Amino acid sequence: MVIDENILRSAGAEVRDYKPTENIFQEGDPPNYYYQIITGEVKLNNYNEEGKEFIQNFLSEGQSCGESILFINKPYPMNAEAVTDCSILRLPKAAFFNLLSTSPKLCMEVTSFLSQRLYYKFVMMLNISSQNPTIRLKGLMDYLKSFQDDESPYSFIIPLTRQQMANLTGLCVETAIRTIKNMERDKILRIENRKILY
């Protein structure tokens, strides 16, 4: 979701800076702000009872995090943690809703964005249920590539590291690396200068 920064600032948004590993919000916190990333990378994650991290998504410049929770007024079911140094616009919840109520176009854009996020969750849930690591990784790559117009083979550079892909698909990094090599051998993808072309 990219809401013009000037619109957010004029509505009362302030810039907050975060260091790597610093939380923007934590699981259980009340949703009081709309957050939009100006620079940097954020991960959405949870930790299970044994302390094992489960990564739900990686977000970067121009994307928002946790906005869907604002609409249901429940505590956050995940953490938003800075991966790199980040600058993030933070708009109070009441100001965010006021902005939506005064701009039907913006309201439709937010609705469309939330629908895309829901679609991603369904696609990933379906793929992660497979025991086949190729299906898991291919599902993630298909989803990422679906936002570009050029659907020809090898036209899309996967914007994630192998570790990030493993985290998002519930695989260990060694399995992800081995599977990606097999996918290259099967001509599903190409690797050039360590970049994955899909």
Side-chain angles (χ1 to χ4, degrees):
M1 176 81 244
V2 180
I3 299 175
D4 184 278
E5 284 184 30
N6 294 323
I7 293 172
L8 290 173
R9 289 175 195 272
S10 67
E14 60 183 3
V15 177
R16 287 285 178 105
D17 294 319
Y18 298 88
K19 297 288 183 199
T21 74
E22 193 174 348
N23 283 320
I24 291 98
F25 56 77
Q26 291 182 284
E27 184 175 349
D29 286 349
N32 295 321
Y33 298 94
Y34 168 82
Y35 297 96
Q36 185 167 296
I37 304 165
I38 301 170
T39 60
E41 186 177 44
V42 171
K43 66 180 172 181
L44 301 180
N45 67 3
N46 294 94
Y47 294 92
N48 68 14
E49 55 278 357
E50 288 94 39
K52 184 176 188 310
E53 182 183 33
F54 176 72
I55 297 178
Q56 297 180 21
N57 207 349
F58 287 95
L59 306 169
S60 58
E61 182 178 325
Q63 294 183 294
S64 56
C65 53
E67 68 291 324
S68 60
I69 310 303
L70 292 171
F71 291 90
I72 58 172
N73 204 29
K74 301 275 189 194
Y76 288 112
M78 75 293 205
N79 307 300
E81 182 182 314
V83 176
T84 63
D85 286 330
C86 293
S87 287
I88 297 178
L89 277 166
R90 186 175 90 160
L91 180 67
K93 179 179 178 177
F96 175 66
F97 283 129
N98 185 53
L99 192 59
L100 294 182
S101 68
T102 59
S103 175
K105 181 177 185 282
L106 184 59
C107 191
M108 285 302 293
E109 289 171 2
V110 168
T111 302
S112 174
F113 175 77
L114 291 174
S115 297
Q116 288 175 1
R117 283 266 174 93
L118 187 58
Y119 176 76
Y120 166 78
K121 292 286 187 194
F122 279 121
V123 167
M124 292 309 297
M125 193 169 47
L126 177 65
N127 289 318
I128 287 176
S129 67
S130 173
Q131 295 299 311
N132 185 328
T134 301
I135 290 173
R136 290 186 187 195
L137 288 166
K138 189 173 182 317
L140 175 62
M141 292 182 211
D142 284 342
Y143 174 77
L144 293 171
K145 188 173 179 175
S146 71
F147 293 100
Q148 80 164 23
D149 293 332
D150 187 353
E151 294 182 15
S152 61
Y154 319 126
S155 62
F156 179 69
I157 298 174
I158 301 296
L160 302 171
T161 66
R162 276 113 174 119
Q163 181 67 62
Q164 290 171 330
M165 294 173 71
N167 290 340
L168 288 169
T169 55
L171 299 169
C172 69
V173 70
E174 294 82 6
T175 300
I177 291 168
R178 186 173 55 251
T179 303
I180 289 166
K181 281 288 190 194
N182 291 339
M183 292 171 77
E184 181 183 33
R185 185 197 63 219
D186 295 338
K187 299 189 180 355
I188 297 170
L189 56 82
R190 274 198 336 231
I191 300 174
E192 290 180 8
N193 298 325
R194 298 195 33 83
K195 300 285 186 190
I196 299 171
L197 304 179
Y198 183 67

